[in-house]
């Protein structure tokens, strides 16, 4: 068995430090590989990344388009062809994570319709494409949408606000002048 005093690093793995500015014979004398005088030759000198000497930098010259909506919902997509990795039965986001089909349980899961499905699955996910839903149900499976109660369909928020306004219409004509008189 080797002893501590027998150990040595692999040949070529340990190299001497490059000593710059130590004479012309070293090949890195006088200016030490920093070029001629200027900001870049100074200790602590240099310019920030992307700086072009005052010229409008590339990052600001090129046109910008679009934005990222901070209210966006980013789904993790799983195609029906990938469900063949799982035995027929109940499929939930936890099962998909265990089989490596989704990366995290923090983002919602959407089942997409690419490929064919082999077997009847009871799938629970946050969203389904129309193609995926038809393929799953065509193969004898069932679809359950998570995060939504079964008895109430998902209503858009804007429509709800409109119905509240319709219930209490603003006073018009003589009613408006009476309401103003009561307030004063």
């Amino acid at each position: 068995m080797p002893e501590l005093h027998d150990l040595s690093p692999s040949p070529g793995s340990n190299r001497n430090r490059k000593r710059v500015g130590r004479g012309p014979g070293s090949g890195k004398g006088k200016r030490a590989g920093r070029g001629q005088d200027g900001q870049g030759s100074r200790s602590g000198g240099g310019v920030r990344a992307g700086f072009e000497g005052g010229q409008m930098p590339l990052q600001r010259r090129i046109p910008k388009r679009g934005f990222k909506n901070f209210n966006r919902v980013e789904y993790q997509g799983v195609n029906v062809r990938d469900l063949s990795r799982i035995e027929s039965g109940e499929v939930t986001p936890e099962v998909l994570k265990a089989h490596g089909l989704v990366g995290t349980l923090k983002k919602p899961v959407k089942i997409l319709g690419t490929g064919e499905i082999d077997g009847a699955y009871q799938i629970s996910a946050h969203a389904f494409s129309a193609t995926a839903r038809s393929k799953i149900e065509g193969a004898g499976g069932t679809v359950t949408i998570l995060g939504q109660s079964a008895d109430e369909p998902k209503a858009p928020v804007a429509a709800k606000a409109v119905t509240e306004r319709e219930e209490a219409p603003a006073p018009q004509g003589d009613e408006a002048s009476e309401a103003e008189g009561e307030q004063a």
Side-chain angles (χ1 to χ4, degrees):
M1 179 161 192
E3 299 290 329
L4 279 176
H5 63 268
D6 293 331
L7 298 176
S8 65
S10 306
S13 65
N14 277 3
R15 301 180 62 178
N16 291 335
R17 185 170 65 89
K18 185 188 292 185
R19 297 178 68 233
V20 297
R22 292 296 181 271
S26 70
K28 281 281 180 276
K30 190 172 182 176
R31 296 202 170 105
R34 287 176 171 260
Q36 295 191 14
D37 290 347
Q39 190 176 2
S41 72
R42 309 294 186 220
S43 170
V47 294
R48 67 179 180 271
F51 185 67
E52 298 182 19
Q55 170 177 298
M56 187 61 65
L58 182 67
Q59 172 64 16
R60 293 184 61 194
R61 286 200 305 266
I62 58 177
K64 312 292 187 290
R65 278 182 59 90
F67 72 103
K68 271 201 164 181
N69 183 358
F70 70 96
N71 286 323
R72 68 190 175 277
V73 177
E74 289 183 353
Y75 287 98
Q76 301 175 91
V78 177
N79 283 303
V80 291
R81 69 170 173 224
D82 300 327
L83 297 175
S84 61
R85 296 191 209 172
I86 305 169
E87 307 80 40
S88 292
E90 191 168 345
V91 178
T92 63
E94 290 79 14
V95 173
L96 295 172
K97 172 108 170 67
H99 285 83
L101 293 173
V102 297
T104 178
L105 295 176
K106 293 181 180 179
K107 291 183 179 178
V109 175
K110 182 170 184 174
I111 307 297
L112 305 172
T114 302
E116 295 303 318
I117 189 167
D118 53 350
Y121 292 91
Q122 291 78 45
I123 303 177
S124 301
H126 300 92
F128 293 83
S129 71
T131 315
R133 182 187 290 261
S134 64
K135 286 183 179 180
I136 293 164
E137 291 172 347
T142 59
V143 166
T144 307
I145 297 176
L146 297 175
Q148 175 183 345
S149 61
D151 52 307
E152 107 180 36
K154 195 171 185 180
V157 177
K160 191 181 244 184
V162 169
T163 55
E164 288 174 4
R165 270 189 256 124
E166 289 173 357
E167 290 171 8
Q172 296 175 350
D174 294 334
E175 295 172 4
S177 58
E178 289 174 10
E180 289 174 6
E182 291 173 7
Q183 289 176 353

